[in-house]
Amino acid sequence: MTATLLTGIGELTTNADAADPTATIADAALVVEDGRIAWTGAAADAPAADASLDLGGRAVVPGFVDSHTHLVFAGDRADEFEARMTGAAYAAGGIRRTVAATRAASDGGLRSRLAQLVAELHASGTTTFEVKTGYDLTVAGEERLARLAREVTDEVTFLGAHVVPAEFAGDRDAYVDLVCGAMLTAVAPHARWVDVFCEEGAFTAAEGERILRAGTDAGLGIRVHGNQLGAGPGVRLAVRLGAASVDHCTHLTDDDVAALAASDTVATLLPGVEFSTRQPYPDARRLLDAGATVALASDCNPGSSFTSSMPLMIALAVREMGMTVGEAVWAATAGGARALRRDDVGALAPGMRADLVVLTAPSRRHLAYRPGVPLVHAVYAGGRRLS
C-alpha cells in the first residue's frame, strides 16, 4: 500500500469533530492510504508518507453526497420551466410527459444521458449519489431503469409510486397492486430503497403505506417524497415507518418538525426545486433549531430541478434557508450520508473512504459567496482522481 500526503490545505473540513461537526482545520494536511483516509490534522504534525502533493492553500471538503436524484430519463421540459417563470403553477402531473419520452427511448439513449449527468455530478464534486426509477411505470420499464441506474451507483431507489400512469387513471387500486406485486418483484434485485410520492396529485398516505410496507417485506429501505406541495401526511408516515429520509419538507407543521427532531429520519431539503418552481423555500433554520437532522440534495430531474450542482444547493441553502455555510456543507456531505444510512462517506476521518473535493478557493465559504462559479479544482473518489 502507498500512502500519499496531501499538504498545503488552506482549510480542511472533516465533519469529524464531535464537539463541533462544522469546524475546520487551518493549514491542514491529510494522508490517503489504500483509497481511505489514514490521518488528518495540522500540516505541522503530518506523518511521513510515500508520496506528497501540495495543494497550494486550497480548501478541501468531503465529496458531496447527493441522496436524491432522478437521472434515468429521456426528453426535457424546458417549456414548463419557462411557463412557471411567467406565472404558471407547478403540478405533479408533468411527470407523465417524461414517462412517455422515457418509454420511447432506447437503452443506448438512456445510458448516454445518464453518463452525461454522472459526469456533471463528478465535475461539481459529487462522489456518492442515489438514483430513482419512476419514469416508466411499467413492470419491464421500471426494471430497465433500475438496471441502468445500478450500472452507475449502488444507491438505487424503486419509485414506481411516482404518479399513477394514464392507462390506470380509472383504476388506481390496480396500479397500486401492480407496484406492490409484479413491479416490485422485478425491480427489487437491482434496488436498495423503495420510495413513494405522498402528495396531492400522486399517492395517498394509505396507498403509500401499503407500497412502503411491501418494499420493506422485499428487503428494501424506505424513503418518502413528502410535504412538497402543501402540508400533508408524508413526514408523519415516514417517521412512523422508520424511513431513512423524507424529502422536500417544504410545508411543515409544528408536529411534523417535532416528529423529525425526535426520530432518526433525515429531512432532506431540495432547494433546486424551489428555485425552479417559485415555491417558498423550506425553513432549514426551524428544523436545525429543533434538533432535526438535515440533508441537502439536488433532486436532479427534467421537470422541477434540472440541475446536478450540489454547490448551487449549498449557495441556495445559505441565501434562502437560514443555514450557515458550515451547516450547508455538512448537510451536503455528512447529512446526505445519513440520509443514505452510510457510514463510509460524508466525512474525512481515519477509515473513511477518501472521497474529497479540492476547491479553487481558500475557504468553503466561497461555495456560497461565489455561486455559479466553477470552484472545483479536483475530485477524488476512493483516493482516485475523477476530475
Side-chain angles (χ1 to χ4, degrees):
M1 295 185 291
T2 299
T4 301
L5 171 68
L6 303 185
T7 189
I9 300 172
E11 177 189 270
L12 175 63
T13 297
T14 67
N15 294 338
D17 185 337
D20 183 1
T22 67
T24 60
I25 304 171
D27 300 319
L30 62 82
V31 175
V32 175
E33 187 171 4
D34 194 29
R36 297 195 173 267
I37 302 297
W39 179 89
T40 65
D45 300 327
D50 302 300
S52 64
L53 176 64
D54 189 336
L55 297 182
R58 296 181 176 91
V60 171
V61 300
F64 300 126
V65 180
D66 191 347
S67 61
H68 184 132
T69 81
H70 304 253
L71 300 184
V72 191
F73 65 88
D76 120 351
R77 285 153 59 192
D79 56 333
E80 289 181 24
F81 172 82
E82 185 174 31
R84 287 196 301 270
M85 295 306 102
T86 58
Y90 172 73
I95 292 166
R96 295 185 182 92
R97 292 183 61 195
T98 301
V99 168
T102 304
R103 287 177 176 180
S106 67
D107 282 13
L110 292 174
R111 277 198 181 96
S112 178
R113 168 66 69 82
L114 180 58
Q116 173 193 353
L117 292 172
V118 170
E120 287 181 8
L121 289 167
H122 289 164
S124 63
T126 297
T127 52
T128 301
F129 55 92
E130 178 257 22
V131 178
K132 301 180 191 297
T133 71
Y135 284 133
D136 190 289
L137 310 182
T138 66
V139 172
E142 286 293 292
E143 188 277 338
R144 175 173 75 140
L145 300 190
R147 177 166 36 84
L148 294 175
R150 188 65 179 77
E151 293 176 1
V152 299
T153 183
D154 294 335
E155 302 291 347
V156 177
T157 298
F158 169 45
L159 185 59
H162 205 178
V163 293
V164 176
E167 60 267 30
F168 283 90
D171 195 350
R172 296 177 60 87
D173 289 344
Y175 185 66
V176 173
D177 288 345
L178 183 69
V179 172
C180 294
M183 193 180 290
L184 174 62
T185 298
V187 174
H190 309 293
R192 185 178 176 216
W193 303 98
V194 61
D195 196 347
V196 63
F197 191 9
C198 183
E199 198 76 58
E200 184 175 350
F203 292 85
T204 68
E207 291 167 340
E209 180 165 356
R210 184 179 167 208
I211 292 163
L212 295 174
R213 289 193 182 279
T216 58
D217 289 346
L220 304 181
I222 296 175
R223 324 189 69 73
V224 175
H225 285 59
N227 298 64
Q228 176 189 358
L229 304 178
V235 165
R236 292 185 297 281
L237 176 65
V239 170
R240 182 162 55 82
L241 297 185
S245 73
V246 55
D247 300 14
H248 288 291
C249 295
T250 308
H251 301 276
L252 300 178
T253 66
D254 289 345
D255 287 345
D256 292 331
V257 174
L260 285 164
S263 75
D264 64 357
T265 297
V266 175
T268 299
L269 309 183
L270 311 170
V273 172
E274 283 70 44
F275 179 86
S276 298
T277 63
R278 293 190 183 275
Q279 290 182 282
Y281 285 89
D283 188 348
R285 185 80 267 141
R286 181 185 179 202
L287 286 161
L288 290 167
D289 288 348
T293 301
V294 172
L296 292 173
S298 72
D299 195 8
C300 183
N301 77 85
S304 61
S305 183
F306 200 5
T307 175
S308 55
S309 174
M310 289 295 279
L312 176 60
M313 301 307 106
I314 291 168
L316 289 173
V318 172
R319 173 65 178 82
E320 303 287 351
M321 291 159 49
M323 300 182 84
T324 67
V325 173
E327 289 168 340
V329 170
W330 189 96
T333 52
R338 295 267 187 97
L340 293 175
R341 299 211 166 146
R342 294 280 294 269
D343 59 8
D344 60 332
V345 298
L348 300 174
M352 304 286 282
R353 208 168 74 181
D355 292 1
L356 56 96
V357 181
V358 182
L359 301 176
T360 307
S363 167
R364 67 189 183 190
R365 295 187 188 94
H366 286 236
L367 290 166
Y369 177 48
R370 304 194 68 206
V373 176
L375 295 178
V376 174
H377 173 75
V379 181
Y380 294 84
R384 180 176 63 86
R385 184 162 180 172
L386 295 180
S387 65

